[in-house]
């Protein structure tokens, strides 16, 4: 049993202003795995005050001072990576190989990227008579979801630290453990008191308090579209900068060429990774209509071959995050059946032989793009295969979505892949598996605004100042 009974405010582990705790459920066992201390609005006020005091000093530290601290964090993060991975596995159910692999690797990648960007970044540049200077925006409220907990906390905390901002992190209630360890890492790496603060607890209470707070300059939020909309409204009265990373229904376009089977297999396996709980997941698989039968066969075989079970074991897929999420996904599977989509793998209920836990069957439908299961984000291991007539049709289907976060194009002709990627109305397109920590990540349309990752993510935390001198005489 884990016990984390303190909040992290002003460089110290403190009791919540009002004594309150919450139990955390392990989604694989449906049993309580531990207890955390939960904060109230008074704790947010304390944390914001600490962050405001600390901003005066932290915002004027040198690049070298911040690099030193980030490198100390890097060493400590690497030392505790296994622990972080185990926390992720327990809190949200990712299988060991993924939790102790890509989950924690992503956090480290964002940390190392922040260090690289900081070392090279030009905080001042001259344009004619004007010096353009970039300065840290101030006190930041960071609100994160449970699906890739280390990725999402690290992609905010490290650029914020690197730019000279101070912050209050509000981690997700469903997955609070890895954030707790991360706070311990920051504490023992010499981050000055008040620069980083963490208050666990309810988003509706603490997230709202942060968003409306007079003394918070920016909110960076990753999560669902409805909460993103609410945050935008709540932040309006104090004219905060708001960065939103929301949901998606991203298209994975498999081009008509020899590698079709391999690409369909890869796309299907990819969709089931992290139990489909990835905002940029390629949840609409677009295949050439003439080769639909072949694609269906490969997608169904791949989904049926995904091993599901106890995340501590050697499996490809664990449970989804909670019973609530399980029920939501079941409703979508039922909806797909009801609206006449063709179910070709998986379906309702738990996988065979599993009697307990939030385990969902890797599921594949063949559908049309107007169906609910092709339009709404399911956030579970449910793939929708959609046939297309030609490239124009594929692009039209891909872009016929209220979202615009990710996209994937796979094929053997690199130039053709890139031409298709150019036409997609999304913020991030991976071509044949391409991946880059420096590539800006974020959404068009209702998938959000702003960009994270790399230099673009760093600049989210900066204000721009112009200092204009008189033109030289003559
Ligand atoms: P969520 O319900 O929107 O919650 C995200 C965070 O916001 C949690 O910490 C939550 O607190 C907090 N929150 C809830 N209500 C709030 C309010 N009124 N004001 C301020 N904060 C509030 O999202 P989720 O269910 O955790 O995550 C799944 C969603 O996130 C999916 O839609 C997914 O696509 C999206 N997502 C997007 C990205 C991206 O980068 N674009 C990445 C990952 C996930 P609680 O702990 O109380 O819930
Ligand atoms: Mg939620």
């Amino acid at each position: 049993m884990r016990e984390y009974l303190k909040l992290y405010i002003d460089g110290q582990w403190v009791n919540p202003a009002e004594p309150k705790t919450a139990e955390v459920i392990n989604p694989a066992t449906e049993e309580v795995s531990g207890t955390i201390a939960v904060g109230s609005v008074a704790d947010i006020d304390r944390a914001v005050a600490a962050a405001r005091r600390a901003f005066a000093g932290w915002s004027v530290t040198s690049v070298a001072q911040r690099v030193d601290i980030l490198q100390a964090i890097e060493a400590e993060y690497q030392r505790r990576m296994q622990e972080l991975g185990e926390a992720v596995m327990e809190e949200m159910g990712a299988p060991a190989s993924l939790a102790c692999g890509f989950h924690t690797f992503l956090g480290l990648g964002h940390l190392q990227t922040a260090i690289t960007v900081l070392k090279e970044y030009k905080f001042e540049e001259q344009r004619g008579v004007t010096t353009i200077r970039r300065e840290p925006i101030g006190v930041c409220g960071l609100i994160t979801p449970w699906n890739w907990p280390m990725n999402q906390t690290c992609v905010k905390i490290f650029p914020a630290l690197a730019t000279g901002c101070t912050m209050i992190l509000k981690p997700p209630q469903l997955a609070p453990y890895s954030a707790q360890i991360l706070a311990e890492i920051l504490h023992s790496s010499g981050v000055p008191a008040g620069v980083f603060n963490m208050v666990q607890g309810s988003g509706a209470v603490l997230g709202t308090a942060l968003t409306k707070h007079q003394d918070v300059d920016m909110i960076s939020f990753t999560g669902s579209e409805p909460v993103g909309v609410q945050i935008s409204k709540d932040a309006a009265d104090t004219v905060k900068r708001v960065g939103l990373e929301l949901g998606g229904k991203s298209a994975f376009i498999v081009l008509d060429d020899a590698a079709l089977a391999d690409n369909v297999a890869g796309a299907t396996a990819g969709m089931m990774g992290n139990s489909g709980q990835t905002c940029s997941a390629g949840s609409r698989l677009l295949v050439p209509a003439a080769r639909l039968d072949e694609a269906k066969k490969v997608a169904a075989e791949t989904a049926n071959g995904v091993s599901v079970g106890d995340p501590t074991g050697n499996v490809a897929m664990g449970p989804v995050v909670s019973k609530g999420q399980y029920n939501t996904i079941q409703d979508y599977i039922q909806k797909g059946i009801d609206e006449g989509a063709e179910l070709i793998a998986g379906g309702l209920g738990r996988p065979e032989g599993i009697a307990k836990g939030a385990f969902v069957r890797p599921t594949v439908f063949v559908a049309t793009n107007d169906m609910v299961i092709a339009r709404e984000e399911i956030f579970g291991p449910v793939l929708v295969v959609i046939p297309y007539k030609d490239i124009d049709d594929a692009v039209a289907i891909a872009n016929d979505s209220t979202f615009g976060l990710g996209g994937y194009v796979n094929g053997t002709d690199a130039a053709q892949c890139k031409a298709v990627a150019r036409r997609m109305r999304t913020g991030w397109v991976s071509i044949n598996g391409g991946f880059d920590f420096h590539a800006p990540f974020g959404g068009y349309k209702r998938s959000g605004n702003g960009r994270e990752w790399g230099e673009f993510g760093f600049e989210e935390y900066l204000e721009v100042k112009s200092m204009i001198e008189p033109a030289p005489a003559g």
Side-chain angles (χ1 to χ4, degrees):
M1 285 292 242
R2 291 174 190 262
E3 272 201 342
Y4 297 110
L5 300 180
K6 305 271 187 189
L7 309 175
Y8 188 67
I9 297 175
D10 206 9
Q12 293 184 322
W13 292 99
V14 299
N15 291 318
E18 299 161 20
K20 206 175 158 200
T21 57
E23 289 182 331
V24 182
I25 307 291
N26 179 332
T29 61
E30 295 183 42
E31 275 155 27
V32 175
S33 65
T35 308
I36 58 157
V38 164
S40 60
V41 173
D43 298 303
I44 291 291
D45 288 339
R46 279 202 285 172
V48 172
R52 176 57 59 198
R53 283 193 300 275
F55 184 70
W58 183 249
S59 60
V60 296
T61 48
S62 67
V63 166
Q65 284 170 313
R66 297 202 296 283
V67 167
D68 278 351
I69 287 183
L70 287 164
Q71 285 175 338
I73 297 170
E74 184 187 2
E76 192 63 5
Y77 186 103
Q78 282 176 313
R79 196 177 70 76
R80 299 188 67 180
M81 257 172 108
Q82 180 69 22
E83 255 181 277
L84 283 168
E86 285 165 9
V88 169
M89 179 174 72
E90 205 169 305
E91 65 193 358
M92 55 75 69
S97 56
L98 183 66
C100 299
F102 203 48
H103 269 276
T104 46
F105 168 78
L106 281 168
L108 180 64
H110 294 308
L111 170 52
Q112 292 170 335
T113 303
I115 295 170
T116 305
V117 174
L118 174 59
K119 282 179 174 170
E120 292 168 5
Y121 196 74
K122 301 261 175 294
F123 286 89
E124 273 193 24
E125 63 177 292
Q126 195 68 32
R127 289 197 198 172
V129 295
T130 301
T131 305
I132 299 174
R133 185 176 150 76
R134 288 174 171 83
E135 300 179 340
I137 188 166
V139 174
C140 302
L142 313 178
I143 304 175
T144 56
W146 45 263
N147 62 326
W148 286 94
M150 273 304 93
N151 176 61
Q152 280 129 359
T153 45
C154 293
V155 80
K156 298 187 193 306
I157 292 169
F158 296 121
L161 279 177
T163 50
C165 289
T166 61
M167 67 210 74
I168 302 92
L169 173 68
K170 205 304 280 177
Q173 291 187 82
L174 287 174
Y177 296 150
S178 53
Q180 202 79 28
I181 298 171
L182 192 61
E184 291 174 9
I185 291 171
L186 296 175
H187 179 69
S188 56
S189 304
V191 175
V195 169
F196 170 83
N197 307 271
M198 183 184 69
V199 183
Q200 301 266 19
S202 153
V205 177
L206 308 177
T208 304
L210 272 176
T211 304
K212 292 188 167 177
H213 207 290
Q214 294 281 356
D215 219 17
V216 172
D217 300 292
M218 165 175 169
I219 295 287
S220 176
F221 170 76
T222 299
S224 62
E225 186 190 337
V227 175
V229 170
Q230 188 59 49
I231 284 178
S232 300
K233 291 176 180 169
D234 287 344
D237 289 336
T238 47
V239 198
K240 284 182 178 59
R241 180 179 299 175
V242 176
L244 300 177
E245 299 286 349
L246 309 177
K249 194 75 187 179
S250 301
F252 193 128
I253 302 179
V254 175
L255 296 176
D256 186 10
D257 63 34
L260 182 111
D262 283 350
N263 288 328
V264 168
T268 307
M271 182 64 218
M272 306 309 166
N274 210 40
S275 302
Q277 303 164 123
T278 301
C279 48
S280 56
S283 50
R284 293 183 295 147
L285 178 59
L286 276 46
V287 300
R291 299 182 71 178
L292 179 60
D293 287 343
E294 184 187 353
K296 276 164 68 171
K297 185 165 169 289
V298 174
E301 275 171 12
T302 306
N304 291 332
V306 172
S307 54
V308 186
D310 178 359
T312 63
N314 182 24
V315 293
M317 202 178 105
V320 296
V321 71
S322 65
K323 196 65 201 288
Q325 191 71 15
Y326 173 89
N327 290 334
T328 304
I329 297 163
Q330 296 299 312
D331 289 348
Y332 274 113
I333 294 174
Q334 185 63 56
K335 197 160 278 174
I337 294 168
D338 293 345
E339 63 189 342
E342 185 191 358
L343 182 66
I344 61 169
L348 292 166
R350 294 192 185 88
E352 222 168 291
I354 299 182
K356 203 174 156 195
F359 294 94
V360 177
R361 300 171 72 188
T363 295
V364 183
F365 283 103
V366 179
T368 52
N369 200 48
D370 57 348
M371 292 181 179
V372 171
I373 57 165
R375 305 208 71 79
E376 296 183 10
E377 184 181 48
I378 298 174
F379 228 55
V382 181
L383 178 67
V384 174
V385 178
I386 303 172
Y388 66 81
K389 290 194 286 288
D390 53 28
I391 298 281
D392 286 348
D393 191 35
V395 171
I397 295 168
N399 290 339
D400 178 14
S401 173
T402 55
F403 295 111
L405 184 56
Y408 303 80
V409 185
N410 277 29
T412 43
D413 180 343
Q416 191 190 26
C417 289
K418 206 161 174 187
V420 172
R422 282 197 183 95
R423 297 174 64 189
M424 293 171 86
R425 297 286 300 163
T426 71
W428 185 94
V429 186
S430 170
I431 300 170
N432 288 317
F435 181 83
D436 179 7
F437 275 111
H438 288 273
F441 181 93
Y444 285 22
K445 302 191 251 180
R446 298 216 192 153
S447 290
N449 55 38
R451 292 294 179 271
E452 297 195 294
W453 300 49
E455 188 177 295
F456 281 74
F458 187 92
E459 289 184 330
E460 293 268 299
Y461 295 91
L462 293 171
E463 276 287 15
V464 178
K465 175 184 282 177
S466 293
M467 298 186 293
I468 310 135
E469 294 171 286

